[in-house]
Amino acid sequence: MSQQVDQFKKLVAHCKEYGFIFQSSEIYDGLSAVYDYGPYGSELKNNIKNYWWRAMVQMHENITGIDAAIFMHPKTWKASGHVDAFNDPLVDNKDSKKRYRADQLVEGVIDKINEKAEKEVEKARKRFGESFDEALYRETNPRVSEYLKQALDIEKRLAQLMKDGDMAGLKALIEELEIADPESGSRNWTEVRQFNLMFSTQLGNIAGEEGKLYLRPETAQGIFVNFLNVQKSTRLKVPFGIAQIGKAFRNEIVARQFIFRMREFEQMEMQFFIRPGEEMKWYEYWKAARMKWHTALGTPPEMLRFKDHDNLAHYANAAVDIQFEFPFGFKELEGIHSRTDFDLKSHQELSGKKLQYFDTELNENYVPYVVETSVGCDRMFLALMSYALQEEAVPDAKGEDATRTVLRLHPALAPVKCAVLPLIRNKEELPEKAREIFNDLKQSFLCQYDDKDAIGRRYRRQDAIGTPFCVTVDFETIENNTVTLRERDSMVQERIPISEIEGIVRQRTDMKLLFS
Ligand code: GAP
């Protein structure tokens, strides 16, 4: 675990040092759970969004996109259930005055028990070597099976209490498990209370409750209220989808783990409108399609898994998370929800406007059902950085060159596609030629020109920001118009004519590679 903590600290430090992510308002000591994306971070984030948009909208004839406003009529949030039910259970420690999510305190206990079981399994793996049967060991070793049973039992009790909204029961569970404040060690807790996560603000010209506006906690509602506008203007037929990328805001009680849980974040959501009764077919379809989207990027499959919800949200009749193994364990990366006709029906009732679709094949009017896919752009960013950032030994190198930090992002997502480097800066013809090549390539993709420091250092800098190709201009270039093209992961260099650089880099960094 401490190795993973170290790895996570390195990741956060790398993001700052290399201009991916900065704490918001850092000069004023920062604003908790709010972050700014720097030069390379904003490029990577744009590429993630572009990959999602192209996979969802461009690759599906029956999915179209919108860009709805962040502010919506306040009744939207009454209809969606967010005013009444978008709550987290919070508890304060009376001694430290720190506030926690009660469910997360209990989850912390579950994680610790599971960790104990994993430690036993690891010890046994080392002891038994090749002949180790992990499944059998988990089932038959009394200590491991007792830990696993204990964790599952608490998990089930927590799920039931959350489902029933039983705050007194949650407080009793915290006391029974003797949970102490992680900072002060005190067990002096207040009652557990429900806390609504929506931020609110006031409309300029209307005072009081009437003028109360919410910052949207999910982008999905902008899609629901526009369902008929989009359907009528595009004449799409059910089944069809509406996709959107945009900011969402949640007043998270506990904001930890860098950009994993933020108060201002970005979602990439798609609502797929279908015939009632067909939701399970489409739910399975989107589960498979979304998992494929993740693995196409080269995400190790063992770092991804499905996890069914024990506790369904107020709008869902089936829900699953795609979890990713972050440095702090498997956590939700994306949600796939069968939302029934809950949202459209609620909006229909509260607005008094019909939100129905006439199905010409069935000769029938109905409120469509919806299957939703929802992935956080920032969590996706963190997932990519978590496995792409690697430290490795460089064969045949010595001293400080013996190891390198390399960001093995898929080339299609890499912030900078190609760096142009004159071998030596004070030989005029080399920088001149390199500039000429750079000025040509920058018309096709994001390139960098760099002539500072020794060539090895410049390669390392590009490795650290994930640049898949470096073009080096040397004396041979002047003689025969060829350059070396160095590939980031293998560090292999090939000699190619200048005229071929653009075609090769374009082909090897093309997003098309992710769709084939
Ligand atoms: N429309 C459904 C919905 O919003 P959700 O599971 O609450 O469902 C969807 O959120 C995704 O949004 C999550 O899987 C996660 O990737 C991202 N997300 C949610 N809350 C977040 C937060 N506070 N910070 C960063 N990302 C968040």
Side-chain angles (χ1 to χ4, degrees):
M1 198 37 107
S2 70
Q3 195 188 342
Q4 281 144 337
V5 172
D6 278 356
Q7 188 196 337
F8 191 44
K9 280 189 184 153
K10 274 188 195 155
L11 188 157
V12 176
H14 189 91
C15 282
K16 180 171 178 193
E17 185 182 348
Y18 286 92
F20 283 88
I21 297 173
F22 309 123
Q23 174 78 59
S24 158
S25 331
E26 199 189 68
I27 58 166
Y28 295 105
D29 295 334
L31 183 63
S32 162
V34 186
Y35 290 90
D36 298 335
Y37 285 83
Y40 301 117
S42 50
E43 289 294 340
L44 174 55
K45 201 171 174 214
N46 281 340
N47 292 343
I48 295 171
K49 290 193 269 189
N50 192 16
Y51 171 42
W52 184 86
W53 193 263
R54 286 176 63 175
M56 301 302 271
V57 177
Q58 186 176 317
M59 297 296 287
H60 291 93
E61 278 176 56
N62 59 349
I63 298 183
T64 190
I66 64 163
D67 182 10
I70 287 171
F71 288 135
M72 300 183 69
H73 193 287
K75 281 187 180 171
T76 309
W77 306 110
K78 186 76 191 154
S80 68
H82 284 83
V83 171
D84 298 318
F86 194 53
N87 299 319
D88 274 344
L90 72 82
V91 64
D92 292 302
N93 187 279
K94 290 184 199 164
D95 296 325
S96 71
K97 310 278 181 257
K98 293 267 173 206
R99 180 164 284 182
Y100 296 94
R101 257 179 67 178
D103 56 331
Q104 287 181 351
L105 287 176
V106 177
E107 276 166 9
V109 174
I110 300 169
D111 286 348
K112 276 199 187 124
I113 299 172
N114 279 327
E115 266 167 38
K116 282 187 196 166
E118 291 313 312
K119 263 193 196 151
E120 293 291 331
V121 173
E122 278 319 301
K123 266 198 267 168
R125 192 193 309 283
K126 280 191 192 131
R127 206 165 54 235
F128 294 115
E130 294 262 302
S131 62
F132 183 53
D133 183 339
E134 185 175 327
L136 187 69
Y137 187 80
R138 280 177 189 277
E139 245 175 63
T140 54
N141 180 277
R143 207 177 303 168
V144 171
S145 58
E146 179 53 32
Y147 282 144
L148 294 176
K149 192 176 147 304
Q150 223 180 329
L152 194 67
D153 176 51
I154 302 172
E155 205 176 319
K156 278 190 185 153
R157 286 173 66 192
L158 175 64
Q160 193 59 47
L161 292 168
M162 294 292 287
K163 194 169 173 204
D164 298 343
D166 182 354
M167 297 299 109
L170 209 45
K171 167 87 187 285
L173 185 59
I174 289 174
E175 282 170 349
E176 182 190 320
L177 296 173
E178 299 184 349
I179 299 176
D181 178 342
E183 292 209 3
S184 67
S186 153
R187 292 194 187 129
N188 194 6
W189 298 107
T190 62
E191 294 309 306
V192 179
R193 300 185 303 282
Q194 293 282 24
F195 174 80
N196 193 286
L197 296 182
M198 282 196 292
F199 281 103
S200 65
T201 184
Q202 200 69 25
L203 203 62
N205 54 353
I206 306 174
E209 272 300 300
E210 282 283 286
K212 191 173 181 182
L213 281 189
Y214 294 103
L215 271 71
R216 66 181 179 198
E218 62 170 8
T219 60
Q221 298 304 323
I223 294 179
F224 288 121
V225 299
N226 276 301
F227 153 71
L228 267 192
N229 283 338
V230 174
Q231 194 277 322
K232 286 189 172 150
S233 56
T234 57
R235 295 160 68 208
L236 281 165
K237 287 190 165 150
V238 164
F240 74 91
I242 305 177
Q244 178 171 216
I245 299 176
K247 290 264 182 171
F249 304 83
R250 295 183 189 179
N251 199 358
E252 299 283 358
I253 300 163
V254 184
R256 266 182 300 160
Q257 294 154 334
F258 197 34
I259 56 168
F260 179 79
R261 198 176 299 285
M262 300 159 89
R263 297 205 165 102
E264 173 181 341
F265 57 100
E266 230 168 333
Q267 289 185 316
M268 306 188 283
E269 298 202 296
M270 193 275 302
Q271 316 299 128
F272 201 64
F273 298 90
I274 53 178
R275 284 181 182 163
E278 292 194 348
E279 65 268 28
M280 279 311 154
K281 178 179 91 179
W282 287 111
Y283 178 67
E284 292 304 327
Y285 172 87
W286 282 110
K287 267 176 74 175
R290 293 303 305 150
M291 186 57 102
K292 202 169 158 206
W293 185 88
H294 289 282
T295 51
L297 282 170
T299 309
E302 67 278 10
M303 295 183 90
L304 291 162
R305 71 179 186 194
F306 287 115
K307 173 91 169 62
D308 286 319
H309 284 206
D310 300 319
N311 199 8
L312 290 178
H314 57 273
Y315 48 71
N317 71 353
V320 67
D321 288 340
I322 295 180
Q323 291 190 332
F324 174 80
E325 192 177 11
F326 289 97
F328 38 84
F330 270 103
K331 300 275 175 210
E332 174 185 351
L333 172 59
E334 169 155 7
I336 296 150
H337 311 127
S338 169
R339 287 180 82 129
T340 65
D341 55 1
F342 173 86
D343 301 85
L344 287 182
K345 268 208 172 138
S346 303
H347 287 305
Q348 188 170 258
E349 273 164 31
L350 207 62
S351 67
K353 308 269 168 22
K354 275 206 156 42
L355 289 175
Q356 294 190 347
Y357 169 79
F358 181 69
D359 193 319
T360 48
E361 276 176 41
L362 298 179
N363 200 23
E364 200 181 288
N365 260 316
Y366 55 79
V367 177
Y369 269 42
V370 169
V371 171
E372 162 188 78
T373 73
S374 174
V375 56
C377 186
D378 313 271
R379 274 195 202 172
M380 192 58 211
F381 190 111
L382 184 58
L384 287 173
M385 292 297 284
S386 317
Y387 73 80
L389 188 62
Q390 296 175 8
E391 251 174 61
E392 61 180 30
V394 180
D396 306 325
K398 288 199 185 90
E400 66 173 28
D401 289 339
T403 56
R404 68 167 182 156
T405 301
V406 54
L407 189 61
R408 290 175 183 269
L409 291 169
H410 191 288
L413 295 195
V416 177
K417 302 297 185 216
C418 179
V420 182
L421 318 171
L423 186 63
I424 302 173
R425 135 163 99 155
N426 47 13
K427 289 275 178 222
E428 242 164 51
E429 64 266 55
L430 296 193
E432 210 172 275
K433 190 75 186 166
R435 275 265 168 220
E436 198 183 293
I437 295 170
F438 169 74
N439 285 334
D440 182 46
L441 291 180
K442 76 179 183 191
Q443 297 173 51
S444 304
F445 26 74
L446 192 63
C447 292
Q448 259 190 4
Y449 176 87
D450 188 6
D451 62 6
K452 288 166 221 83
D453 301 324
I455 191 75
R457 277 212 161 173
R458 283 181 271 164
Y459 284 149
R460 295 290 178 272
R461 243 190 333 253
Q462 295 301 330
D463 289 343
I465 61 165
T467 307
F469 295 102
C470 287
V471 165
T472 308
V473 175
D474 54 22
F475 294 105
E476 215 183 313
T477 311
I478 309 300
E479 280 165 24
N480 63 10
N481 274 327
T482 63
V483 292
T484 60
L485 186 73
R486 173 188 181 270
E487 198 271 331
R488 178 195 67 199
D489 296 347
S490 62
M491 294 187 284
V492 166
Q493 303 197 15
E494 51 181 324
R495 191 106 214 151
I496 59 164
I498 292 173
S499 58
E500 286 180 17
I501 308 173
E502 201 256 2
I504 293 175
V505 175
R506 182 191 289 281
Q507 192 221 340
R508 295 186 199 170
T509 60
D510 198 332
M511 214 165 260
K512 218 166 124 181
L513 297 170
L514 292 167
F515 302 128
S516 53

